[in-house]
Amino acid sequence: MVLVVAGLHVYRNTNVLTEDRLCGGLVSTAKANAVLPGSGRLDAQGDGVADDLGDTVCKVERSSVVLGSGKGMLSVRVWEEDGDFPFEDGAWPDPSEATFFSGPVTGAVYQSVGWVLLPERCWTTKPVFVRVSPGESASGARAFATLITDVAHVVAAGAACGDLPAGPGKLLPPRSEAARPVSEGRVCGLGGFSVRDKVPVGTKVLEAGQRAPAGLWSCTLSLDDDSRDVVRADGFMTFTASRDPLLIAAVKKSPGTSKGKAPDGREAEVVDPQKIVLSCARGELYLAAEVKPQYLEARKRHPDLPRSDAHFESFVKSASKAYGCGTATKR
C-alpha cells in the first residue's frame, strides 16, 4: 500500500514517470520546470510543430495535490509579425526592461514574456518568431532564455527551415532594476549624446536600459517631474540600436521601408521617419526613436520644446560613433 501511495504521489506531483518533452516534443519538461514557479506535475496540450507554423501552439500547466506547491502556466505560440515588433509601443513591455541576446540566436526575455526570431528561411511574407509566456514572472532570465531558445530550435528543425542552437549566447540584461540619473553629455552611455536643451529647464532626467554598444540595445528616458503616474511610468522617449543581422533583416521587411536619407544626409533605408538602417563598414545598423506619452504631455505644457526630430538627430550622431558607423556631412 505504501508503494502504491508513493507511486501515486510521484505521478501526480512530478513528471518522473512520464516523458521528458511535452507538446509533441516542443517543450523540454526540465526546462519548463526551471522556469515555472512552484512544484508539481506538468500537463500539456499541443501536438508539436504544425505544418503551418502559425498553427503551432503549446500550453503547459503545473498542477499538484501538495498544499502550497503553487500553480503555473506556460503558453507557446509561433507568430508572423512586422519586423520591428519588439520595439512597437504597447505591443511588448518597454524594451529597456528586456534581457537581450544576439548572435547565433536573436531574442529577448522580460519577466513574463519572451521571444526568439526564427531564421529567414522560416519566413514567408513576414518575419516569424516564437513567443513564450509563463503567465507569471519566470524564474530567472537565463532559465527563461534557455527554454525559449530550445523551443525555437525545435520549431526550426521541425520545419526544416534553419539550424538554431539549443541555448542562447551571452545575455545582456538592463544595467539596473531602477532608472538612474543621466550623465549629461553621455546620456544612455553614448558619448556626445545630450538632452539638456531638449527637456523642460530644471527637470531631472532618468535613464533605463542595457549597456551600449551591443548587438541589441535600448534606452528609455523619463522625466522626474509631476506627470501623472501612468504617464510617468511610460516614459519620455525610447532609443533603440541594433547591429544584429537577423533583426535588421526583419526590420527591413516592415511595410513602407524605402530608400531615403539619415538625419546627417547619408543614404539609409527608412522604415519610419525615426527608424532607419545605415550601411556601415562593420555591417548594417538599425537606429530608432519612439516618442512616449511623457514627451507628448511635456510638449503641451512647453510648446517651445524641440520637436522629436531633434532628439533623433542627436541620437543618430552619437550612436553612429559608438557603433563605429562613421558620420556624413549634410548635403
Side-chain angles (χ1 to χ4, degrees):
M1 182 65 178
V2 172
L3 290 176
V4 172
V5 172
L8 185 61
H9 166 78
V10 169
Y11 176 79
R12 298 181 67 178
N13 297 292
T14 75
N15 288 81
V16 169
L17 303 180
T18 57
E19 67 271 30
D20 61 357
R21 296 195 74 89
L22 306 166
C23 291
L26 197 63
V27 175
S28 159
T29 304
K31 290 178 173 61
N33 262 318
V35 168
L36 289 174
S39 61
R41 177 180 172 78
L42 298 179
D43 295 302
Q45 296 178 352
D47 299 320
V49 181
D51 291 337
D52 182 342
L53 284 183
D55 293 332
T56 302
V57 179
C58 173
K59 291 185 179 179
V60 179
E61 187 171 7
R62 186 186 296 288
S63 60
S64 174
V65 296
V66 178
L67 207 60
S69 61
K71 290 187 176 181
M73 187 181 74
L74 191 76
S75 65
V76 177
R77 290 292 306 270
V78 179
W79 283 353
E80 279 191 342
E81 266 288 5
D82 289 338
D84 59 350
F85 69 89
F87 312 111
E88 280 295 301
D89 189 29
W92 294 83
D94 192 292
S96 67
E97 300 171 8
T99 293
F100 287 121
F101 41 101
S102 175
V105 60
T106 302
V109 292
Y110 300 83
Q111 285 192 334
S112 59
V113 69
W115 59 268
V116 164
L117 259 176
L118 292 178
E120 283 191 76
R121 282 164 46 203
C122 304
W123 307 353
T124 51
T125 56
K126 291 184 177 183
V128 180
F129 71 103
V130 173
R131 179 188 190 275
V132 175
S133 173
E136 301 178 17
S137 294
S139 299
R142 171 59 66 178
F144 192 12
T146 299
L147 167 68
I148 191 170
T149 302
D150 182 64
V151 173
H153 165 79
V154 172
V155 172
C161 61
D163 184 18
L164 288 178
K170 180 181 178 182
L171 300 187
L172 185 69
R175 288 170 59 191
S176 61
E177 291 186 5
R180 57 202 173 276
V182 302
S183 296
E184 185 52 46
R186 196 171 180 78
V187 173
C188 294
L190 301 176
F193 191 22
S194 173
V195 294
R196 180 183 293 121
D197 58 347
K198 301 178 183 67
V199 298
V201 176
T203 303
K204 185 178 180 180
V205 183
L206 307 176
E207 65 181 37
Q210 304 79 23
R211 192 174 301 278
L216 269 171
W217 169 87
S218 191
C219 178
T220 291
L221 300 182
S222 58
L223 305 182
D224 189 8
D225 61 9
D226 59 353
S227 300
R228 290 170 293 141
D229 289 346
V230 63
V231 173
R232 186 170 176 174
D234 283 339
F236 182 79
M237 191 165 290
T238 293
F239 301 97
T240 300
S242 177
R243 55 187 174 202
D244 183 277
L246 186 61
L247 179 69
I248 291 174
V251 165
K252 288 164 66 173
K253 276 190 167 290
S254 297
T257 301
S258 60
K259 298 291 184 181
K261 298 288 185 181
D264 59 12
R266 73 179 113 172
E267 292 184 357
E269 293 194 56
V270 179
V271 181
D272 187 82
Q274 294 180 8
K275 297 177 181 179
I276 61 173
V277 176
L278 298 174
S279 292
C280 315
R282 296 175 58 190
E284 293 180 307
L285 175 65
Y286 172 63
L287 299 174
E290 185 83 34
V291 168
K292 310 289 275 186
Q294 213 178 19
Y295 170 82
L296 299 175
E297 187 171 276
R299 281 273 293 176
K300 289 179 181 178
R301 294 182 178 184
H302 308 275
D304 57 333
L305 280 183
R307 294 173 59 85
S308 59
D309 293 351
H311 289 270
F312 185 56
E313 182 172 355
S314 178
F315 168 66
V316 169
K317 181 179 179 180
S318 301
S320 295
K321 184 176 181 180
Y323 280 82
C325 195
T327 57
T329 304
K330 278 190 175 182
R331 297 175 183 175

